[in-house]
Amino acid sequence: MLQEERQNIIINQINLHHKVLTTDLSKLLNVSLDTVRRDLHELEESGRIVKVHGGAVSKSFHLPFQQPQVYAREEKKEIAYKALGLFKEGMNVLMGGGTIMLELARIIPKNHKGTVFTVSPLVALEIAQRSTIRVILIGGEVSHDAYVCTGPTVISQLSELRVDLSFIGANGLSVKDGLTDNDWDVMQVKKALMKASDKTAVLSISEKLDTTQKMQVSPLRSFECIITELSPNDKRLQKYAKVTKVV
Amino acid sequence: MLQEERQNIIINQINLHHKVLTTDLSKLLNVSLDTVRRDLHELEESGRIVKVHGGAVSKSFHLPFQQPQVYAREEKKEIAYKALGLFKEGMNVLMGGGTIMLELARIIPKNHKGTVFTVSPLVALEIAQRSTIRVILIGGEVSHDAYVCTGPTVISQLSELRVDLSFIGANGLSVKDGLTDNDWDVMQVKKALMKASDKTAVLSISEKLDTTQKMQVSPLRSFECIITELSPNDKRLQKYAKVTKVV
DNA sequence: AGAAATAATGCACGAATCAGCAAAATAAAA
DNA sequence: TTTTATTTTGCTGATTCGTGCATTATTTCT
């Protein structure tokens, strides 16, 4: 077998699986490990792949220093725009935390009528800064990782509140387990958010669909709708559409 | 499984959920805790994530509030350092809003013991971000100009609170009129802050000495001390020193 | 302050890598 | 074709790398 032929096969395998193991290639091509290694070395020199210990990965798979400021920013913006459509003039809404909420906060029109309640200091500041809308921040202990107010104060304040609509971000979302979270305090807050509102919309990027975290916030059917960046008739959403509205 | 592959999965999990636990990753990836820890270590070294006790959090969850030009920054830092001297280990303190408070928030040591209550979302976020100290945000309507929580909710929550010490920024400060402010809501909040604390320290740059605003918060004598960037025996402070302590 | 959870450290073992060398294959020249 | 030069391949041993385990620190919770 020619060297070039072999290397083409290797490239092919990498494109196919994003990664290859040196030992696998050795068996597949019936050559020694050294030969495979030398091939990988050359392919790396010519910049076609990235060699790692144990094998090699495709260049796109190995993201060298790409550090997005906000992960999946565009998708989240898209979701925020859809959500904004539900926020009619004069409504009182309740917003949770997370990057999607921040995007939503950014696009609320300056003179929108209504009141926003939120447990997220960041959301509160963003809205207060950009718009003249009334912002009520529900205070409590500030969580060190999610930057959201949590704790009994939050729960009790929310229990005295009644709003038309709430927006909640998702950590895990699946048909079977509904909305799930991995932080007990945050889970409690989300439950309270839902209790305080007539309707609740879940905002989530599609990547979180069919994932489950440790604790359940609420089953799917209790939500007014699920908002993702996907088209409502996307295949991935169909099983959700049977239980609740998808947007 | 390739190391590279594993680390990509970890990054992805963190992007999705902002925070991951070492034990969860260990189960998810079917490797020992040590391996996960080493991965997290490497990812931190290359600057892609931030490691915390028990797991790791996303680096990209950075706070977008910027502070372009702070007037008299150096003087304010100086004041903040003096104020920090009063914040002993284990104390519960209450902080108002304003740029001096932000400087104070920035210099609180990472592992300082104690609890901070504040009506300023900015202060709360700054502390929550930089330190492991407990931060309780007193919620309410977010003022559009001072970015401080105001209104009846704040007042009533503060009335149920009792702390050792509070730090308040000044808008106007004079021997004759004491601490004065020009915003009715903020004035009310400051009054409530004082009522909730055993002692109150006023933080002010010297420029505001001998100035008076429309509404009085409290006369001078009710303060434990006044903190400025000046030396305590500066000429300008002498008339204040007759009424209360100056630092 | 004590108990439990989490992290760091040192060690051992196997797997992967590398360098140099000899054999084999291929290409080029006589 | 034979001979020679060049490239490619496989092997050996030394070395590094990745992983898990045991032990010791550190942190957190109560």
Side-chain angles (χ1 to χ4, degrees):
Chain A
M1 165 158 338
L2 257 56
Q3 194 184 34
E4 193 182 325
E5 188 183 350
R6 227 177 28 232
Q7 300 194 353
N8 280 334
I9 295 179
I10 292 177
I11 294 274
N12 227 330
Q13 288 292 313
I14 289 186
N15 285 338
L16 218 56
H17 305 114
H18 290 298
K19 64 147 192 182
V20 284
L21 303 184
T22 316
T23 53
D24 288 351
L25 286 177
S26 167
K27 272 179 268 177
L28 175 69
L29 304 168
N30 273 315
V31 289
S32 77
L33 284 171
D34 302 76
T35 305
V36 173
R37 224 169 270 126
R38 272 183 278 249
D39 282 338
L40 294 178
H41 184 75
E42 283 175 29
L43 289 170
E44 178 175 62
E45 293 247 306
S46 64
R48 318 231 295 174
I49 67 173
V50 177
K51 207 150 67 81
V52 299
H53 193 94
V57 297
S58 80
K59 271 193 133 177
S60 57
F61 189 68
H62 170 85
L63 19 140
F65 241 81
Q66 174 207 24
Q67 169 85 20
Q69 288 210 335
V70 174
Y71 183 69
R73 181 83 184 266
E74 289 311 313
E75 288 83 348
K76 288 174 177 173
K77 273 188 190 167
E78 173 71 22
I79 296 169
Y81 276 106
K82 286 188 187 177
L84 187 59
L86 299 181
F87 188 2
K88 311 283 188 204
E89 290 280 314
M91 262 191 182
N92 292 342
V93 308
L94 191 43
M95 291 173 64
T99 45
I100 302 186
M101 292 307 153
L102 268 171
E103 294 298 339
L104 177 51
R106 287 206 181 94
I107 60 171
I108 293 179
K110 191 169 174 358
N111 287 318
H112 196 88
K113 299 282 179 255
T115 305
V116 171
F117 296 81
T118 180
V119 291
S120 159
L122 282 165
V123 167
L125 285 170
E126 188 65 43
I127 300 179
Q129 201 175 11
R130 294 197 45 275
S131 129
T132 57
I133 205 170
R134 224 163 95 93
V135 189
I136 314 285
L137 179 53
I138 314 282
E141 174 157 5
V142 180
S143 126
H144 286 265
D145 32 87
Y147 304 130
V148 165
C149 294
T150 61
T153 335
V154 176
I155 310 294
S156 93
Q157 286 180 85
L158 283 174
S159 72
E160 294 165 6
L161 189 64
R162 192 85 218 144
V163 299
D164 305 307
L165 175 65
S166 64
F167 295 109
I168 300 192
N171 228 303
L173 198 61
S174 71
V175 176
K176 181 168 164 288
D177 300 306
L179 178 65
T180 49
D181 211 298
N182 55 12
D183 184 309
W184 193 84
D185 288 316
V186 174
M187 184 263 284
Q188 294 294 329
V189 170
K190 285 186 177 174
K191 281 187 172 183
L193 288 174
M194 293 184 63
K195 270 198 194 133
S197 16
D198 289 342
K199 300 172 178 177
T200 302
V202 179
L203 279 55
S204 170
I205 59 174
S206 61
E207 218 167 338
K208 287 183 181 167
L209 291 176
D210 305 328
T211 69
T212 295
Q213 294 292 319
K214 286 192 287 283
M215 310 174 208
Q216 190 193 48
V217 176
S218 181
L220 266 194
R221 67 186 121 73
S222 40
F223 298 104
E224 171 72 10
C225 65
I226 294 174
I227 306 179
T228 71
E229 84 278 12
L230 302 174
S231 149
N233 36 30
D234 189 287
K235 210 179 106 199
R236 280 166 285 179
L237 286 172
Q238 293 321 304
K239 50 188 169 185
Y240 292 87
K242 284 175 189 157
V243 187
T244 184
K245 196 163 64 178
V246 296
V247 183
Chain B
M1 159 141 7
L2 255 37
Q3 193 187 34
E4 168 96 12
E5 207 181 348
R6 225 179 29 231
Q7 300 193 352
N8 279 335
I9 295 177
I10 291 176
I11 295 262
N12 198 256
Q13 287 293 313
I14 291 183
N15 279 335
L16 282 176
H17 304 121
H18 291 143
K19 181 180 178 183
V20 288
L21 302 182
T22 316
T23 51
D24 288 349
L25 287 176
S26 166
K27 272 179 264 175
L28 175 70
L29 303 167
N30 272 314
V31 291
S32 75
L33 284 171
D34 304 75
T35 303
V36 174
R37 258 182 226 116
R38 269 184 281 248
D39 281 338
L40 294 178
H41 183 75
E42 282 176 31
L43 290 172
E44 179 174 60
E45 292 247 308
S46 65
R48 313 225 273 174
I49 66 171
V50 176
K51 214 148 65 78
V52 297
H53 196 91
V57 297
S58 151
K59 206 183 181 185
S60 63
F61 205 175
H62 77 111
L63 310 180
F65 54 84
Q66 71 290 358
Q67 234 191 326
Q69 73 281 359
V70 176
Y71 179 71
R73 179 87 182 265
E74 289 311 313
E75 287 84 346
K76 287 173 177 172
K77 270 188 191 164
E78 173 69 23
I79 297 170
Y81 275 107
K82 287 187 187 179
L84 187 60
L86 300 179
F87 188 1
K88 312 283 188 202
E89 289 280 312
M91 263 191 181
N92 292 342
V93 309
L94 191 43
M95 293 174 63
T99 46
I100 303 187
M101 292 307 153
L102 267 173
E103 293 299 338
L104 177 51
R106 283 211 181 90
I107 61 172
I108 293 180
K110 189 168 176 351
N111 286 318
H112 195 87
K113 298 285 179 252
T115 305
V116 171
F117 296 81
T118 181
V119 291
S120 159
L122 283 164
V123 167
L125 286 169
E126 187 67 41
I127 300 180
Q129 190 188 21
R130 294 196 47 279
S131 130
T132 57
I133 206 170
R134 225 165 95 92
V135 188
I136 314 285
L137 180 52
I138 314 282
E141 175 157 4
V142 180
S143 118
H144 286 264
D145 33 276
Y147 304 131
V148 165
C149 295
T150 61
T153 335
V154 177
I155 309 294
S156 95
Q157 285 180 87
L158 283 174
S159 73
E160 294 166 8
L161 189 63
R162 193 84 218 143
V163 298
D164 306 307
L165 176 64
S166 65
F167 296 108
I168 299 192
N171 230 303
L173 196 61
S174 71
V175 176
K176 180 167 164 290
D177 299 305
L179 178 65
T180 50
D181 212 298
N182 55 11
D183 183 308
W184 192 84
D185 287 318
V186 174
M187 184 262 284
Q188 294 294 329
V189 170
K190 286 186 177 175
K191 281 189 173 184
L193 288 174
M194 293 185 62
K195 270 199 196 134
S197 18
D198 288 342
K199 301 171 179 178
T200 301
V202 179
L203 278 54
S204 171
I205 56 174
S206 61
E207 213 168 315
K208 287 185 179 164
L209 291 176
D210 306 329
T211 68
T212 294
Q213 295 293 324
K214 287 193 288 280
M215 309 174 215
Q216 188 192 49
V217 177
S218 180
L220 265 195
R221 66 185 123 75
S222 42
F223 296 105
E224 171 71 10
C225 66
I226 295 174
I227 306 179
T228 72
E229 83 279 14
L230 303 174
S231 149
N233 36 32
D234 188 286
K235 212 179 95 196
R236 283 167 283 179
L237 286 173
Q238 293 321 305
K239 51 188 172 188
Y240 291 87
K242 286 173 189 158
V243 187
T244 184
K245 197 162 64 178
V246 297
V247 183

